[in-house]
């Protein structure tokens, strides 16, 4: 069907062009990785799961499971050079397995759609907080007033629905026009600026007098607080924050030039992403303790704490507005990555134009998003399994679809693809390749399956 299925993977080209440089790829992947996952989700999930021990498991998962899965995604993407569904079908066949591996790509497309349906809702909150910050409501505010602002906002489904609509509209618009150029520029500015502001906030947190308490909460592991559910949540968070397990990184890898080092590029992204999450935690937990808030506050944690810091800071209105603008940008570059697999698939398979595909996918996600919009107000008492609709979509995607997707990606790269193919992509000589292969073949799949089965109670305790 596609004309450029060259037999030699090195000669394949992508239908959508290539990144202009190694840096462009790193910027795009960083843009997709750094987002609400680092600043909104990491602190609130760490807080709900008791801090230290959770953070330790998260870090182990990032480096021992996340990193090899990310490298596998990039190498698969670059070898196949098309959307994740077609790439999996092509490589499955080429490596002597089956084109049915395309279903793995298909599940990824679905995961992206589901994640974005609630991601866009929270991104809408950050957009709304740009305007709240600029209006000065947080200047000098106390903890109760800041919490009341958040409660009042999410309690009104029209406000939340409107900001979700606005955010999804903007995302769809950019994806429809084809994104790569503008994205590079946005990320080049946004990520460093976000880090600078986090350091400003860190200075404030250090001076809050409760920095030690925050530090202890994050880095003193208390394993008695760790359930298998928390371990699964930590692993899910590692997948979520790195954007892996659903083919998004595979889609980006498809545009990566042949000569770029996959190990180096993945390493930079993982380190940048993890530092930003840890930094966000170091800012937020001291504020939590300084203001007598609960670390297990839930999805509102960031919105209940950061405005407090800004409210007491010189130039706080300006900094706060700027911060939420940057966070909205960070969410937006991630949202684009979440939509890309579905749109690329529609364009290549159904012969839609990019604009038609973007509007179809964007519209579907917008509609699904109302399940999460209503989870904080009208339907907040409608709970099943893990909680509200929002809680369940989050659990299903982060803790089930992404880890299992990642497991199959690692199995595909480690077991289905022959050594020559992966060595060809990663550079065969070094110890790094050997380490990757052990992690991808054994450590990642076994750890994922074990944690998953433990958390759903299918493996009995040995003791
Ligand atoms: N990593 C993003 C964040 O931390 C969220 C995300 C998960 C994502 N999967 C993705 C973004 C896939 C782009 C593509 O906010």
């Amino acid at each position: 069907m596609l004309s450029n299925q060259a037999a030699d993977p090195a000669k394949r080209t992508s239908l959508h062009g290539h990144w202009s440089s190694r840096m462009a790829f790193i910027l795009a992947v960083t843009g997709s990785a750094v987002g609400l996952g680092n600043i909104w989700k990491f602190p609130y999930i760490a807080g709900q799961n008791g801090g230290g021990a959770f953070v330790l498991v998260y870090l182990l998962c990032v480096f021992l499971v996340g990193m090899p899965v990310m490298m596998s995604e990039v190498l698969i993407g670059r070898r196949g050079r098309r959307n994740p569904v077609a790439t999996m079908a092509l490589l499955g066949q080429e490596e002597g397995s089956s084109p049915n591996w395309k279903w793995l790509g298909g599940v990824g497309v679905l995961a992206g759609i589901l994640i974005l349906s609630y991601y866009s809702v929270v991104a809408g909150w950050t957009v709304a907080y740009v305007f709240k910050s600029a209006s000065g409501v947080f200047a000098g505010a106390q903890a109760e007033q800041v919490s009341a602002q958040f409660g009042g906002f999410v309690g009104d489904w029209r406000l939340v629905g409107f900001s979700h609509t606005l955010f999804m509209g903007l995302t769809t618009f950019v994806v429809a026009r084809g994104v790569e150029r503008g994205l590079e520029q946005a990320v080049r500015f946004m990520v460093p600026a976000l880090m600078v502001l986090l350091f400003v906030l860190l200075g404030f947190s250090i001076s809050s007098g409760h920095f030690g308490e925050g530090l202890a909460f994050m880095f003193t592991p208390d394993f008695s607080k760790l359930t298998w559910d928390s371990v699964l949540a930590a692993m899910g968070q590692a997948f979520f924050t790195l954007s892996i397990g659903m083919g998004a990184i595979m889609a980006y890898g498809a545009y990566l030039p042949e000569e770029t080092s996959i190990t180096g590029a993945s390493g930079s992204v993982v380190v940048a992403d993890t530092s930003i999450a840890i930094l966000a935690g170091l800012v937020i937990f001291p504020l939590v303790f300084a203001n007598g808030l609960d670390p297990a506050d839930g999805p509102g944690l960031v919105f209940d704490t950061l405005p407090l810091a800004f409210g007491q800071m010189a130039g706080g209105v300006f900094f706060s507005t700027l911060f939420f603008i940057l966070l909205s940008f960070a969410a937006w570059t991630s949202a684009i990555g979440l939509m890309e697999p579905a749109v690329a698939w529609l364009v290549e398979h159904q012969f839609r134009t990019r604009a038609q595909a973007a509007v179809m996918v964007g519209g579907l996600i917008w509609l699904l998003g109302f399940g999460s919009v209503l989870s904080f107000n009208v339907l907040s008492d409608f709970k099943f399994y893990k909680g509200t609709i929002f809680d369940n979509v989050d659990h299903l995607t982060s803790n089930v679809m992404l880890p299992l997707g990642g497991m199959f990606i690692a199995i595909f790269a480690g077991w289905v693809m022959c050594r020559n193919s992966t060595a060809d992509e990663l550079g065969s000589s070094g110890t790094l390749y050997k380490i990757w292969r052990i992690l991808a073949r054994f450590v990642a799949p076994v750890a994922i399956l074990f944690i998953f089965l433990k958390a759903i109670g299918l493996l009995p305790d040995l003791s």
Side-chain angles (χ1 to χ4, degrees):
M1 190 191 332
L2 294 165
S3 58
N4 61 343
Q5 291 186 351
D8 176 3
K11 297 213 176 67
R12 264 174 218 149
T13 52
S14 159
L15 290 171
H16 307 269
H18 281 245
W19 301 108
S20 53
S21 66
R22 167 175 181 272
M23 199 55 202
F25 171 78
I26 293 184
L27 284 170
V29 178
T30 306
S32 106
V34 175
L36 297 172
N38 308 64
I39 288 165
W40 160 74
K41 202 171 179 199
F42 170 72
Y44 104 72
I45 303 261
Q48 279 181 332
N49 287 283
F54 173 94
V55 174
L56 185 65
V57 177
Y58 157 78
L59 290 174
L60 286 173
C61 287
V62 162
F63 289 101
L64 296 180
V65 180
M67 177 82 189
V69 170
M70 179 179 280
M71 289 168 64
S72 306
E73 271 201 42
V74 181
L75 81 85
I76 292 170
R78 183 164 77 182
R79 214 167 170 77
R81 291 267 187 234
R82 44 188 52 78
N83 76 74
V85 183
T87 285
M88 291 309 299
L90 173 66
L91 295 190
Q93 226 156 12
E94 195 170 273
E95 298 287 341
S97 181
S98 139
N100 282 327
W101 279 97
K102 69 174 182 230
W103 291 104
L104 183 54
V107 172
V109 167
L110 190 66
I113 289 173
L114 288 174
I115 293 176
L116 190 50
S117 82
Y118 75 85
Y119 199 86
S120 165
V121 174
V122 180
W125 301 353
T126 64
V127 175
Y129 265 60
V130 171
F131 297 100
K132 273 196 190 292
S133 298
S135 78
V137 283
F138 299 128
Q142 299 299 309
E144 308 81 62
Q145 293 159 294
V146 171
S147 297
Q149 277 288 335
F150 182 72
F153 171 70
V154 293
D156 186 339
W157 74 269
R158 287 159 306 186
L159 291 176
V160 181
F162 177 76
S163 42
H164 160 61
T165 306
L166 187 68
F167 183 84
M168 235 9 258
L170 284 173
T171 305
T172 306
F173 178 72
V174 174
V175 173
R177 299 193 48 179
V179 285
E180 285 71 32
R181 290 278 156 242
L183 200 66
E184 273 178 55
Q185 298 311 321
V187 177
R188 203 183 280 273
F189 165 78
M190 180 263 301
V191 173
L194 200 57
M195 288 189 86
V196 168
L197 271 193
L198 283 172
F199 275 110
V200 171
L201 282 166
L202 184 66
F204 185 86
S205 268
I206 291 176
S207 69
S208 72
H210 290 72
F211 191 67
E213 242 177 295
L215 210 57
F217 181 78
M218 275 183 77
F219 294 114
T220 317
D222 173 357
F223 289 100
S224 69
K225 285 189 186 151
L226 209 61
T227 60
W228 283 105
D229 249 347
S230 313
V231 175
L232 181 62
M235 182 170 70
Q237 174 61 17
F239 277 84
F240 184 90
T241 190
L242 296 175
S243 306
I244 52 178
M246 52 154 282
I249 302 293
M250 212 184 276
Y252 284 164
Y255 316 139
L256 186 64
E258 203 52 47
E259 60 283 358
T260 305
S261 153
I262 290 178
T263 317
S266 308
S268 331
V269 174
V270 169
V271 168
D273 186 79
T274 310
S275 327
I276 292 180
I278 296 292
L279 200 54
L282 287 178
V283 167
I284 286 165
F285 289 114
L287 292 172
V288 167
F289 296 116
N291 292 283
L293 296 168
D294 178 8
D297 189 33
L301 187 65
V302 173
F303 299 92
D304 286 339
T305 48
L306 294 188
L308 274 172
F310 288 123
Q312 291 158 35
M313 205 182 269
V317 172
F318 170 76
F319 281 127
S320 183
T321 311
L322 182 61
F323 179 84
F324 283 107
I325 289 177
L326 291 170
L327 188 55
S328 305
F329 256 108
W332 188 51
T333 55
S334 297
I336 290 166
L338 282 162
M339 245 178 108
E340 183 63 24
V343 172
W345 177 77
L346 271 186
V347 170
E348 287 176 33
H349 262 255
Q350 311 281 321
F351 304 102
R352 310 266 172 195
T353 67
R354 199 175 169 84
Q356 283 170 338
V359 170
M360 285 171 63
V361 174
L364 173 69
I365 293 171
W366 173 76
L367 209 62
L368 290 174
F370 275 86
S372 294
V373 166
L374 300 176
S375 291
F376 295 90
N377 34 66
V378 181
L379 296 180
S380 60
D381 291 327
F382 173 61
K383 293 192 172 152
F384 56 100
Y385 191 45
K386 295 286 170 185
T388 59
I389 297 175
F390 162 85
D391 294 323
N392 279 294
V393 178
D394 177 29
H395 178 81
L396 174 69
T397 50
S398 307
N399 299 354
V400 181
M401 294 174 90
L402 297 185
L404 293 185
M407 182 180 78
F408 284 111
I409 288 167
I411 290 175
F412 187 83
W415 294 93
V416 175
M417 290 180 78
C418 66
R419 200 176 194 287
N420 286 344
S421 311
T422 50
D424 195 25
E425 294 294 332
L426 292 179
S428 60
S429 49
T431 7
L432 279 178
Y433 176 76
K434 296 200 184 81
I435 296 174
W436 168 78
R437 201 143 192 265
I438 292 171
L439 293 177
R441 281 164 74 93
F442 303 103
V443 179
V446 172
I448 295 168
L449 193 65
F450 182 78
I451 293 173
F452 187 72
L453 293 178
K454 270 288 183 194
I456 58 174
L458 278 185
L459 283 185
D461 283 323
L462 290 179
S463 52

